[in-house]
Amino acid sequence: MITMAGLILLVQALALFMATPMEINEMQAFEDPTQVSHSIYYIGLILAFTVLVLIAIKKNMTWLISLFIYFAVLSTLYYVFFALLTLFPSLAGLEVLVSTLLSAGLTVLLYKYPEWYVIDIVGICIASGVSALLGISMSVIPVVVLLLLLAIYDALSVYKTKHMITLAEGVMDLKLPILFVIPKQRGYSFLKENFAEGEKREAFFMGLGDAVMPTLLVVSASIFMENGGPITYPVLGAMLGTLAGYFALSILVMKGKPQAGLPFLNSGAILGFFAGVFVSGSAIM
């Protein structure tokens, strides 16, 4: 569980690092980052994707899910590598070619050999890249609204409708790279993991979204806050708040029942952020 917390911190640190080159290269998704409507837009996309995945699982069209996920992985890795390569003047003019080769190679490796450490490495790249891209695209208020809406949605989908549990189990059977995997013992193989109902899990699992969503606030605070920067009180508060929410979540997870992660992680990030704002006296932009 401590290792998983370390992965969250690593994602947040890398997202902060990648935010600057992505902002310089104008990779923002929106021209006006202050519009709260962007939050509604992303909620709509998430709901639409959830419906499509549930239909694909029911219709036994899991190949369609796999195709979409691997395309998303390839695209995200390209943006990540492109942003990082722009930091090296010696590679000027070669960013597109090298980024394409690296992202394609890593995606093929992931498809051919989705062992847990390959999935985790790719997961770190994807989670930090998506967090940086969305974090520089939305200012603090839209991000806070998005995190609150997602926390409510996650709670309803896990505890009320339970469709998120169905979705997670269906996707995990495909062994797709949309989660972090931490083995409980040496010699573990994700390729041999049995996801049949009632079988004991030999590893801890956490969806990439649980790392991405609170990290949006970390990145947004570093970019859009007055007197912003990589490490300020609001940024540090959001990071520490995420960890506090994670450990509260872990206590319940250890009891063996599925739990909605975002209510804990998002609320921790938001409370920590506002605590940092209070301490620093910074203005929210």
Side-chain angles (χ1 to χ4, degrees):
M1 303 305 286
I2 293 175
T3 303
M4 196 72 82
L7 284 180
I8 294 175
L9 277 179
L10 179 58
V11 166
Q12 294 183 335
L14 288 175
L16 287 172
F17 178 74
M18 282 190 274
T20 299
M22 285 184 172
E23 187 181 27
I24 292 174
N25 286 281
E26 299 181 346
M27 293 183 177
Q28 296 92 336
F30 306 110
E31 290 185 7
D32 184 0
T34 64
Q35 292 295 318
V36 177
S37 58
H38 301 329
S39 304
I40 309 300
Y41 170 78
Y42 275 113
I43 289 291
L45 284 180
I46 290 169
L47 290 174
F49 177 71
T50 300
V51 171
L52 289 175
V53 170
L54 290 173
I55 292 174
I57 292 173
K58 187 175 181 179
K59 298 290 186 180
N60 198 27
M61 297 175 61
T62 51
W63 62 269
L64 186 61
I65 304 173
S66 299
L67 181 64
F68 180 86
I69 294 298
Y70 280 108
F71 177 76
V73 167
L74 178 65
S75 303
T76 305
L77 288 176
Y78 173 83
Y79 282 110
V80 167
F81 289 130
F82 184 89
L84 293 177
L85 289 173
T86 58
L87 298 174
F88 300 92
S90 59
L91 294 175
L94 297 174
E95 298 94 342
V96 172
L97 175 61
V98 177
S99 300
T100 301
L101 292 175
L102 288 175
S103 55
L106 200 51
T107 303
V108 170
L109 173 63
L110 187 64
Y111 176 75
K112 293 290 188 180
Y113 189 70
E115 191 51 275
W116 66 269
Y117 44 85
V118 178
I119 289 176
D120 283 351
I121 291 172
V122 175
I124 291 169
C125 295
I126 293 173
S128 55
V130 170
S131 300
L133 278 168
L134 296 182
I136 65 173
S137 301
M138 293 189 289
S139 60
V140 170
I141 296 301
V143 168
V144 170
V145 171
L146 177 62
L147 296 192
L148 289 174
L149 292 175
L150 285 174
I152 295 170
Y153 168 71
D154 198 30
L156 290 174
S157 62
V158 172
Y159 303 128
K160 188 70 173 176
T161 66
K162 301 185 185 300
H163 70 267
M164 190 59 70
I165 298 175
T166 302
L167 186 148
E169 290 175 348
V171 171
M172 286 181 72
D173 284 337
L174 302 177
K175 293 182 167 57
L176 293 173
I178 54 174
L179 72 167
F180 288 121
V181 184
I182 301 297
K184 295 180 180 179
Q185 58 189 10
R186 292 180 182 273
Y188 169 81
S189 174
F190 183 67
L191 296 171
K192 299 177 182 178
E193 177 70 82
N194 185 1
F195 291 104
E197 187 175 353
E199 290 290 332
K200 183 180 178 181
R201 300 286 184 259
E202 299 299 326
F204 292 107
F205 302 96
M206 182 179 71
L208 294 189
D210 289 339
V212 169
M213 295 309 166
T215 305
L216 298 186
L217 185 56
V218 173
V219 175
S220 182
S222 72
I223 297 295
F224 294 102
M225 287 291 296
E226 183 184 57
N227 301 321
I231 301 296
T232 59
Y233 282 115
V235 171
L236 187 61
M239 295 176 74
L240 294 178
T242 302
L243 287 184
Y246 168 77
F247 283 115
L249 171 64
S250 300
I251 294 173
L252 296 178
V253 170
M254 292 298 288
K255 295 181 180 180
K257 293 184 179 180
Q259 299 293 332
L262 295 184
F264 296 89
L265 297 164
N266 288 2
S267 59
I270 292 171
L271 292 174
F273 165 76
F274 281 109
V277 170
F278 178 77
V279 171
S280 64
S282 301
I284 299 176
M285 301 173 65

